[in-house]
């Protein structure tokens, strides 16, 4: 499937920090003539780039009642999903998985149209075991600074993996999944400041030796929108995309190095 032009885009998760950057990119892209922002909360239009909101369609929806959300009304050419949460914010492991997986998969299912060439782009997360191997010594240093191992990281990775597989089984003609590394440039709550103050320099140091350590959320957003434009078949070789999954439930995977490269290719 070739790169799309003059198409429509639906974004779920626009009020998250990565989602905000994706929304800005979509609104400023000439390749998308209509952009839908559907979610529990909506972006204040006054915070968006001047003159970019004419093509924006906003609708508040209830993820517990997606049948009334109207996700099929516009037959979106590309569905972007940056929806997610943390166990801390959700309040429990059960609530986390409900938002992080059930809401994502159910919304993607509801947004799927009968169009033969509809595309889905999902922002997942780097698998914890791989991130640990990349950081290696940095994580060892963190352990000496009394930062305990965090079991919820494994819960997060498990949820993301299950979500990816469930999305792949929905029947979209093209599915692209991003697994970014540590997201730099995000704002953290006061209770996270100590951990982040320790982790950020470590990730920055690791990024000098590996392009699999971190990515700025603004860079990730450029890559995500570029992937939505190109589609799997037209992705440049620099994206280092691979096909994963099983027959009938496969997707195109872009890891952190590919996301970093694709951001410049997509300009």
């Amino acid at each position: 499937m070739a790169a799309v032009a003059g198409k429509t885009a639906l974004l779920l998760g626009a009020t998250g920090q990565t989602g905000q950057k994706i929304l800005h990119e979509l609104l400023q892209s000439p390749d998308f003539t209509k952009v839908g922002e559907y979610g529990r909360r909506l972006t204040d239009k006054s915070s968006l780039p001047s003159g970019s909101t004419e093509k924006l369609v906003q609708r508040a929806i209830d993820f517990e009642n997606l049948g009334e959300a109207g996700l099929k009304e516009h037959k979106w050419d590309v569905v972007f999903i940056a929806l997610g949460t943390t166990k801390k914010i959700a309040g429990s492991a059960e609530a986390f998985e409900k938002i992080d997986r059930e809401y994502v998969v159910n919304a993607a299912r509801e947004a799927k149209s009968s169009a033969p060439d509809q595309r889905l782009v999902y922002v997942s997360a780097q698998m914890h075991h791989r991130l640990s191997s990349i950081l290696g010594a940095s994580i060892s240093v963190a352990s000496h600074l009394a930062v305990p191992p965090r079991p919820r990281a494994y819960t997060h990775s498990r949820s993301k993996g299950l979500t990816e597989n469930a999305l792949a089984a929905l029947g979209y003609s093209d599915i692209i999944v991003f697994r970014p590394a540590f997201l730099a440039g995000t704002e953290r709550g006061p209770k996270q400041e100590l951990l982040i103050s320790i982790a950020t320099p470590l990730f920055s140091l690791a990024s000098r030796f590996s392009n699999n350590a971190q990515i700025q959320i603004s860079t990730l957003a450029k890559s995500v929108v570029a992937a939505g434009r190109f589609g799997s078949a037209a992705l440049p070789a620099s994206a280092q995309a691979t096909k994963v999954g099983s027959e009938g439930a496969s997707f195109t995977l872009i890891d952190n190095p590919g996301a970093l490269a694709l951001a410049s290719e997509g300009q």
Side-chain angles (χ1 to χ4, degrees):
M1 184 161 44
V4 297
K7 299 296 185 179
T8 60
L10 170 65
L11 174 59
L12 300 166
T15 56
Q17 294 190 63
T18 301
Q20 290 172 26
K21 299 293 186 182
I22 295 174
L23 180 60
H24 280 239
E25 290 291 328
L26 286 171
L27 291 176
Q28 295 182 90
S29 171
D31 297 292
F32 295 96
T33 55
K34 181 186 292 184
V35 177
E37 179 197 359
Y38 284 39
R40 292 172 294 179
R41 295 179 292 117
L42 299 175
T43 304
D44 182 350
K45 287 186 177 182
S46 66
S47 68
L48 297 172
S50 177
S52 68
T53 59
E54 290 83 359
K55 61 181 180 181
L56 178 63
V57 178
Q58 293 179 308
R59 181 163 179 171
I61 64 173
D62 179 3
F63 283 93
E64 295 287 350
N65 188 20
L66 287 171
E68 302 297 321
L71 290 170
K72 294 184 185 294
E73 289 178 1
H74 295 278
K75 295 185 178 179
W76 307 102
D77 296 304
V78 187
V79 177
F80 294 90
I81 301 181
L83 182 66
T85 187
T86 64
K87 180 180 174 182
K88 186 178 184 67
I89 293 174
S92 68
E94 293 75 16
F96 161 72
E97 294 204 21
K98 185 178 188 66
I99 296 170
D100 201 70
R101 184 166 75 251
E102 290 182 26
Y103 284 3
V104 167
V105 175
N106 291 342
R109 182 184 293 110
E110 192 64 29
K112 187 179 181 301
S113 70
S114 59
D117 57 352
Q118 192 179 28
R119 183 174 296 150
L120 174 67
V121 183
Y122 171 57
V123 180
S124 185
Q126 196 172 74
M127 298 298 102
H128 181 73
H129 66 83
R130 183 173 182 183
L131 185 59
S132 297
S133 66
I134 292 164
L135 292 178
S138 297
I139 290 180
S140 177
V141 171
S143 67
H144 284 84
L145 292 172
V147 180
R150 311 186 79 177
R152 71 168 175 242
Y154 296 96
T155 301
H156 186 265
S157 294
R158 174 181 173 276
S159 179
K160 291 297 185 184
L162 290 172
T163 301
E164 293 171 3
N165 292 333
L167 291 173
L170 291 181
Y172 280 82
S173 64
D174 186 23
I175 298 177
I176 301 174
V177 172
F178 280 82
R179 286 184 189 163
F182 179 78
L183 298 179
T186 59
E187 296 178 4
R188 312 285 177 169
K191 292 185 178 180
Q192 295 177 297
E193 285 182 358
L194 175 59
L195 179 61
I196 297 303
S197 68
I198 296 171
T200 298
L202 298 177
F203 280 98
S204 297
L205 176 62
S207 67
R208 296 183 182 182
F209 306 98
S210 171
N211 57 4
N212 229 329
Q214 70 173 5
I215 187 171
Q216 292 285 333
I217 55 173
S218 57
T219 301
L220 176 59
K222 292 180 186 298
S223 297
V224 168
V225 173
R229 287 172 38 229
F230 285 125
S232 294
L235 284 169
S238 61
Q240 303 175 45
T242 57
K243 207 74 172 178
V244 300
S246 59
E247 185 176 353
S250 63
F251 57 89
T252 297
L253 175 63
I254 300 178
D255 277 319
N256 206 70
L260 288 168
L262 184 57
S264 56
E265 291 272 4
Q267 298 305 302

